[in-house]
PDB file of all heavy atoms in Angstrom:
ATOM      1  N   SER A1155       2.138  50.534 119.790  1.00 37.00           N
ATOM      2  CA  SER A1155       1.891  51.651 118.955  1.00 37.00           C
ATOM      3  C   SER A1155       3.130  52.232 118.256  1.00 37.00           C
ATOM      4  O   SER A1155       3.041  53.172 117.559  1.00 37.00           O
ATOM      5  CB  SER A1155       1.268  52.800 119.793  1.00 37.00           C
ATOM      6  OG  SER A1155       2.042  53.129 120.866  1.00 37.00           O
ATOM      7  N   ASP A1156       4.290  51.642 118.631  1.00 39.00           N
ATOM      8  CA  ASP A1156       5.554  52.183 117.960  1.00 39.00           C
ATOM      9  C   ASP A1156       5.547  51.868 116.498  1.00 39.00           C
ATOM     10  O   ASP A1156       5.149  50.795 116.065  1.00 39.00           O
ATOM     11  CB  ASP A1156       6.744  51.472 118.539  1.00 39.00           C
ATOM     12  CG  ASP A1156       7.066  51.959 120.008  1.00 39.00           C
ATOM     13  OD1 ASP A1156       6.496  52.943 120.341  1.00 39.00           O
ATOM     14  OD2 ASP A1156       7.757  51.233 120.722  1.00 39.00           O
ATOM     15  N   THR A1157       5.863  52.871 115.701  1.00 37.00           N
ATOM     16  CA  THR A1157       5.791  52.649 114.253  1.00 37.00           C
ATOM     17  C   THR A1157       7.050  53.281 113.595  1.00 37.00           C
ATOM     18  O   THR A1157       7.862  53.944 114.189  1.00 37.00           O
ATOM     19  CB  THR A1157       4.550  53.543 113.708  1.00 37.00           C
ATOM     20  OG1 THR A1157       4.839  54.914 113.900  1.00 37.00           O
ATOM     21  CG2 THR A1157       3.318  53.168 114.457  1.00 37.00           C
ATOM     22  N   SER A1158       7.139  52.965 112.360  1.00 36.00           N
ATOM     23  CA  SER A1158       8.090  53.626 111.434  1.00 36.00           C
ATOM     24  C   SER A1158       7.407  54.066 110.248  1.00 36.00           C
ATOM     25  O   SER A1158       6.530  53.323 109.787  1.00 36.00           O
ATOM     26  CB  SER A1158       9.226  52.660 111.085  1.00 36.00           C
ATOM     27  OG  SER A1158       8.723  51.519 110.426  1.00 36.00           O
ATOM     28  N   GLY A1159       7.676  55.270 109.729  1.00 35.00           N
ATOM     29  CA  GLY A1159       7.021  55.790 108.584  1.00 35.00           C
ATOM     30  C   GLY A1159       7.787  56.847 107.845  1.00 35.00           C
ATOM     31  O   GLY A1159       8.790  57.247 108.369  1.00 35.00           O
ATOM     32  N   THR A1160       7.204  57.253 106.751  1.00 31.00           N
ATOM     33  CA  THR A1160       7.953  58.328 105.942  1.00 31.00           C
ATOM     34  C   THR A1160       7.433  59.655 106.298  1.00 31.00           C
ATOM     35  O   THR A1160       6.171  59.911 106.274  1.00 31.00           O
ATOM     36  CB  THR A1160       7.766  57.998 104.492  1.00 31.00           C
ATOM     37  OG1 THR A1160       8.284  56.671 104.167  1.00 31.00           O
ATOM     38  CG2 THR A1160       8.573  59.060 103.634  1.00 31.00           C
ATOM     39  N   PRO A1161       8.267  60.603 106.712  1.00 32.00           N
ATOM     40  CA  PRO A1161       7.779  61.896 106.982  1.00 32.00           C
ATOM     41  C   PRO A1161       7.034  62.515 105.819  1.00 32.00           C
ATOM     42  O   PRO A1161       7.396  62.383 104.652  1.00 32.00           O
ATOM     43  CB  PRO A1161       9.025  62.764 107.264  1.00 32.00           C
ATOM     44  CG  PRO A1161      10.061  61.647 107.685  1.00 32.00           C
ATOM     45  CD  PRO A1161       9.822  60.482 106.795  1.00 32.00           C
ATOM     46  N   THR A1162       5.906  63.224 106.144  1.00 33.00           N
ATOM     47  CA  THR A1162       5.158  63.845 105.063  1.00 33.00           C
ATOM     48  C   THR A1162       5.513  65.293 104.853  1.00 33.00           C
ATOM     49  O   THR A1162       4.997  65.903 103.901  1.00 33.00           O
ATOM     50  CB  THR A1162       3.651  63.716 105.389  1.00 33.00           C
ATOM     51  OG1 THR A1162       3.365  64.370 106.665  1.00 33.00           O
ATOM     52  CG2 THR A1162       3.277  62.311 105.584  1.00 33.00           C
ATOM     53  N   ALA A1163       6.212  65.866 105.816  1.00 32.00           N
ATOM     54  CA  ALA A1163       6.705  67.255 105.631  1.00 32.00           C
ATOM     55  C   ALA A1163       8.174  67.439 105.895  1.00 32.00           C
ATOM     56  O   ALA A1163       8.949  67.162 105.068  1.00 32.00           O
ATOM     57  CB  ALA A1163       5.819  68.127 106.538  1.00 32.00           C
ATOM     58  N   THR A1164       8.497  67.788 107.145  1.00 32.00           N
ATOM     59  CA  THR A1164       9.904  67.953 107.502  1.00 32.00           C
ATOM     60  C   THR A1164      10.442  66.797 108.335  1.00 32.00           C
ATOM     61  O   THR A1164       9.626  66.203 109.110  1.00 32.00           O
ATOM     62  CB  THR A1164      10.113  69.215 108.257  1.00 32.00           C
ATOM     63  OG1 THR A1164       9.309  69.199 109.455  1.00 32.00           O
ATOM     64  CG2 THR A1164       9.665  70.468 107.504  1.00 32.00           C
TER      65      THR A1164
END
Side-chain angles (χ1 to χ4, degrees):
S1155 58
D1156 288 342
T1157 67
S1158 59
T1160 303
T1162 60
T1164 58

